[in-house]
Amino acid sequence: NQPTSYPTTGTSWYDLSGPGNNGTFTNGPTWDSNGWIDFDGTDDEIVVADDSTLDLTTSMSFEILVKVDSSQTNPYPRLIDKNSYLVHITQTSPFTIAQNIQTSSGTRQVTAGSAFTSNVWTHIVSNYNSSEGKIYVNGVLTGTNNFGSVLPAIPNGTVVTIGGDTGSGRQLTGSISKTKIYNKILTVSEILQN
C-alpha cells in the first residue's frame, strides 16, 4: 500500500519525505475527499513546527499545487510562509505569484510575469540560490530576478505556515493539494516531471 500524507481523518498532514515535519490543521481547514485541503480565507492554515531541516539559507525550492477561489479577497495570501522565506499570491484577481527571501540587506523578491486563472489547479515552483530567484507556473519560467550578489537567507526559529498567516490576516481562499520544500534547486526536468 502506498503511504498517504493525510489519512482522511484527524488534524495532521504527514511529511512523507523523512524528517517528520508534519503539519497541524489550525482553525479548521478541511479535507476534501478528492485529495486536497480547503482553506476558508478567514483563519485556516496548516502549521509546521520549526526544524533545522526547514532553516534554509543558500539553495531552496518550493513546490505548490494550488487552486485559488475567485472569491479570494485577502491581499497577498500566503502559500508557504516561514518569515525568512515566503511564497504568496501578489494581489487579488488577476492573481500572480511572488517569492520573498529575507537577507542581511533586506528582502529579495521575484514576481511571476504573468497571471494565472482562479478556480483552476496551478502548479507553482519557486527557487532561490543566494543570488537569483525564479518562478515557474505550470512548468513555464515566468519570473526571474538576478540580484548580482550572493546573500543567503537569514534562518529563524519560526514555524512554517501553509495556506495563510493568521498573524497578518493573509489567508488563502482556495485549495492546496501538494506542498514541498526542498533544500536544493529543482532542475527544469524535475519541475516538468512533478
Side-chain angles (χ1 to χ4, degrees):
N1 286 340
Q2 191 77 357
T4 179
S5 63
Y6 188 71
T8 72
T9 61
T11 59
S12 293
W13 195 11
Y14 293 102
D15 173 14
L16 301 181
S17 67
N21 294 318
N22 301 327
T24 301
F25 285 39
T26 305
N27 299 324
T30 56
W31 171 256
D32 186 284
S33 61
N34 291 303
W36 58 75
I37 299 168
D38 294 321
F39 298 81
D40 66 7
T42 302
D43 57 3
D44 290 357
E45 61 191 20
I46 292 174
V47 177
V48 180
D50 180 48
D51 186 85
S52 61
T53 59
L54 298 171
D55 289 330
L56 308 176
T57 57
T58 55
S59 291
M60 59 195 81
S61 297
F62 310 100
E63 181 181 11
I64 307 115
L65 185 59
V66 62
K67 181 169 63 173
V68 181
D69 195 277
S70 60
S71 66
Q72 175 73 51
T73 56
N74 291 325
Y76 310 106
R78 289 5 184 178
L79 301 179
I80 297 175
D81 187 355
K82 198 187 188 303
N83 225 359
S84 58
Y85 50 80
L86 162 66
V87 181
H88 64 96
I89 298 167
T90 57
Q91 284 285 359
T92 52
S93 185
F95 303 113
T96 57
I97 296 295
Q99 170 186 266
N100 293 5
I101 305 294
Q102 299 301 325
T103 72
S104 59
S105 67
T107 302
R108 290 184 159 184
Q109 184 179 73
V110 57
T111 303
S114 59
F116 64 91
T117 306
S118 61
N119 299 321
V120 174
W121 285 105
T122 303
H123 182 249
I124 297 160
V125 172
S126 66
N127 61 45
Y128 179 70
N129 68 359
S130 298
S131 64
E132 184 178 50
K134 294 182 178 181
I135 296 178
Y136 298 81
V137 177
N138 295 324
V140 178
L141 179 63
T142 62
T144 302
N145 197 341
N146 190 322
F147 301 101
S149 61
V150 174
L151 279 176
I154 301 173
N156 60 50
T158 62
V159 300
V160 173
T161 58
I162 298 168
D165 174 17
T166 300
S168 67
R170 310 299 196 189
Q171 308 304 119
L172 172 69
T173 305
S175 307
I176 293 177
S177 177
K178 174 170 62 175
T179 303
K180 294 184 178 181
I181 299 173
Y182 300 87
N183 62 353
K184 67 172 192 171
I185 302 297
L186 293 179
T187 65
V188 172
S189 61
E190 287 173 322
I191 291 169
L192 293 175
Q193 182 180 19
N194 292 338

